Amino acid sequence: MFPLNQQYTNLEMDGIEPYAKITGTSLAEGPWGRQNWAQQLEKSAKSNIEFLVRERESKNDFTMLAWLYIASTESSQISNPGSWGLTIKLVKKNFIPFIRLKFVQRPTPSVQGLAFDGLETNTWNFLAITFDPLTQVATLWANDQLVGSLKTNIYKLVYENHLWIGAKVKDVNSQHLKMRISCVQFFTASLTKEAMAKTKFVCKGL
């Protein structure tokens, strides 16, 4: 788990994952009104967080949880910058924040995606993404509600590169978002709604 707060900054608190590379962000108010409990990303290609995901090729289940505060409806991305695997984008559609989730497979590229336009602005959103290689189903959750599921026909996720939040510095075509992020968690399990509820407030107790 990465609290992304003043105490842990870029460190995973249990020492399980490698450290995160944080560029061009600042500490900001996090969930539950706690000061210096989030990283503020600016609308800039030089503002991003890179998570050094341990397993680049994984047949394990996968879950990512995060708290997001959307401060504007500009676009940004949370993605694996490689050519295949999992890509999550926060974009805008008719000035509404929009989550788009894509799964890409090789050697014959096939892009499948989930989308959700119900993110709230100027408040904290609890986001969850799961993937189960046994059923090949991906799910997208926002604020404790299942907002999408997809039969992907993909039996594993492959990370050619690291997982980014924000935009790569060299990606001149990226669109950027002013947002705050806190308490990012990765699991090699496809969590149920009940399991998500148990870990949702784990940062609050730190």
Side-chain angles (χ1 to χ4, degrees), residues 9 12 18 45 85 89 126 130 138 158 161 164 168 173 186 193:
T9 58
E12 200 275 332
K89 289 191 175 181
F126 183 63
T130 74
V158 178
N161 293 288
W164 290 73
K168 291 189 294 180
N173 295 318
F186 297 104
K193 182 178 182 179

Side-chain angles (χ1 to χ4, degrees), residues 166-180:
K168 291 189 294 180
V169 174
K170 295 182 180 179
D171 191 350
V172 296
N173 295 318
S174 288
Q175 301 177 74
H176 319 298
L177 173 72
K178 186 175 181 180
M179 60 175 277
R180 288 181 246 162

Side-chain angles (χ1 to χ4, degrees), residues 12-79:
E12 200 275 332
M13 63 174 294
D14 297 318
I16 297 174
E17 299 285 354
Y19 67 90
K21 294 182 179 179
I22 298 177
T23 304
T25 70
S26 58
L27 287 167
E29 182 180 295
W32 319 293
R34 301 181 73 170
Q35 296 300 313
N36 298 324
W37 262 82
Q39 294 292 327
Q40 172 86 53
L41 280 80
E42 303 299 333
K43 293 194 295 182
S44 165
K46 296 182 180 180
S47 183
N48 57 67
I49 302 173
E50 178 186 6
F51 293 97
L52 307 178
V53 180
R54 283 178 302 161
E55 297 183 1
R56 294 195 177 191
E57 181 169 329
S58 175
K59 295 183 179 180
N60 293 325
D61 297 9
F62 171 85
T63 297
M64 174 183 168
L65 307 177
W67 284 90
L68 299 175
Y69 185 102
I70 311 300
S72 76
T73 53
E74 298 300 321
S75 300
S76 189
Q77 60 185 14
I78 304 177
S79 69

Side-chain angles (χ1 to χ4, degrees), residues 153-196:
N153 297 318
I154 294 175
Y155 66 93
K156 63 183 177 181
L157 292 179
V158 178
Y159 306 101
E160 286 190 346
N161 293 288
H162 304 145
L163 190 73
W164 290 73
I165 294 178
K168 291 189 294 180
V169 174
K170 295 182 180 179
D171 191 350
V172 296
N173 295 318
S174 288
Q175 301 177 74
H176 319 298
L177 173 72
K178 186 175 181 180
M179 60 175 277
R180 288 181 246 162
I181 184 163
S182 181
C183 200
V184 177
Q185 302 178 72
F186 297 104
F187 298 88
T188 53
S190 180
L191 298 189
T192 63
K193 182 178 182 179
E194 293 74 21
M196 292 178 199

